Amino acid sequence: MSALKWAASRREFRTLLFLIMLFALVGLVNSDFLTLANIQASVKSSLLYIVLAVGMTFVLLTGNIDISIGGIMGLSAAVAGTILKSGGSLFTAAAAALFIGAAIGLINGLGVTRLKISSFIMTLGMLEITRVLHVIYADGKWVENLPAGFKGLSKFSLAGVNILSMMVIAVVILVHFYLSKSNKGRYFAAIGDNEEGAVLLGIPVQRYKTYAFVISGISASIAGLIFASQIGFISTTAGAGIEMTVIAGAVLGGVSLSGGVGSVIGAGIGAIIMTSINSALVFMKVPAFWNAAISGSLLILIVVIDTLLTRKAMKKAKKERLNARILQKEVQI
């Protein structure tokens, strides 16, 4: 029973239940939604969102936010696609994409930590800059006709299991253990939970905040490579609006916007939910123009719930501190 109570108290477990309920309810309307093929397709279409959510979790844990991921993803994909199209190797294309993500993430991090610019303003500005750079680089044209070998990477399977899906899941699990079990991994949550306390404990706060943005930028670049492989072309609007879906997915998965709370596993499950909602609407024959309204409503609901949970946690912590002080005084008397 204690194990069940522990699981029920975890945000990740509640998010998983929400995902199961989503598939079950939609399955009652259209049984085709519950087929193994559709479930696999939902996970596969969620891969780039999961990768983005992993990077976003690092930033959110520190109490910041990264709005620029859609722009980084599109620019990285365009640069990598152009290199591949011109005959360059996959290694060169991937290295260029990762460099772009790391560089932009570093600029975001330094802007927030050194120049003391709000993370929302800094990354929003960077989003617009990367969008313009993407259009200029691609000369306003789509990057098309990518090599067949590259496009086949996302479809490669072994014994019926998609290799890319397994790789992403493995990375999520490894990152989860890093953030939850290693001392340095816990720094990110400690900074978001109590920055002043983290400083007093000797944690290099500014450095780890910068690391979080660099990791987010690299994650966006990897997502760009996945996007290019899955879609086979890169439009000038690639990644537009994806940041809101990723943030909503992360928060739905239990990552607090206030910082200090959350896990990449929960964020990954939340990302699958957000992408599955669009698929569910198709199976339920709901007009496509409702997608944005439903996603927006869900985002507002998620933020409201997150705010209420944060307030409840703060009140509980305050009450515990007060009780501890009273108990200490009674002992002294």
Side-chain angles (χ1 to χ4, degrees), residues 107-134:
I107 294 172
N108 282 334
L110 293 176
V112 171
T113 59
R114 304 299 181 186
L115 302 180
K116 305 301 180 183
I117 302 173
S118 162
S119 60
F120 179 84
I121 299 300
M122 181 69 201
T123 57
L124 180 61
M126 190 57 70
L127 171 64
E128 300 303 323
I129 293 172
T130 51
R131 285 277 172 227
V132 173
L133 289 175
H134 181 179

Side-chain angles (χ1 to χ4, degrees), residues 164-328:
L164 182 59
S165 299
M166 291 298 100
M167 289 175 62
V168 170
I169 292 173
V171 169
V172 170
I173 294 173
L174 289 173
V175 173
H176 171 73
F177 279 111
Y178 169 72
L179 288 175
S180 61
K181 301 300 181 182
S182 70
N183 291 331
K184 291 185 178 180
R186 293 194 188 102
Y187 285 175
F188 296 96
I191 292 169
D193 182 54
N194 187 340
E195 185 171 330
E196 292 181 358
V199 172
L200 293 175
L201 288 173
I203 296 175
V205 172
Q206 306 304 322
R207 187 195 310 167
Y208 273 81
K209 278 187 178 182
T210 304
Y211 286 166
F213 282 102
V214 172
I215 293 170
S216 181
I218 292 174
S219 297
S221 294
I222 295 173
L225 292 170
I226 295 174
F227 174 84
S229 178
Q230 289 182 332
I231 305 301
F233 62 87
I234 304 100
S235 69
T236 53
T237 59
I242 202 171
E243 54 279 342
M244 290 299 103
T245 301
V246 174
I247 293 170
V251 177
L252 178 61
V255 184
S256 176
L257 287 171
S258 303
V261 177
S263 73
V264 290
I265 290 180
I269 297 172
I272 295 174
I273 290 175
M274 293 303 296
T275 52
S276 297
I277 287 175
N278 292 335
S279 177
L281 294 176
V282 173
F283 278 87
M284 295 176 69
K285 298 181 180 180
V286 177
F289 63 81
W290 282 103
N291 289 8
I294 293 174
S295 297
S297 300
L298 185 59
L299 176 59
I300 294 172
L301 179 62
I302 291 168
V303 172
V304 170
I305 293 174
D306 177 70
T307 302
L308 293 175
L309 289 173
T310 301
R311 287 180 181 177
K312 183 179 179 180
M314 290 177 65
K315 287 182 180 180
K316 183 179 179 181
K318 185 176 181 181
K319 185 178 180 179
E320 290 177 351
R321 288 196 298 268
L322 181 61
N323 290 337
R325 290 175 183 174
I326 292 174
L327 182 62
Q328 186 178 15

Side-chain angles (χ1 to χ4, degrees), residues 57 63 66 85 107 141 159 170 195 217 245 260:
T57 299
D66 189 354
K85 185 179 177 181
I107 294 172
K141 300 176 183 178
E195 185 171 330
T245 301

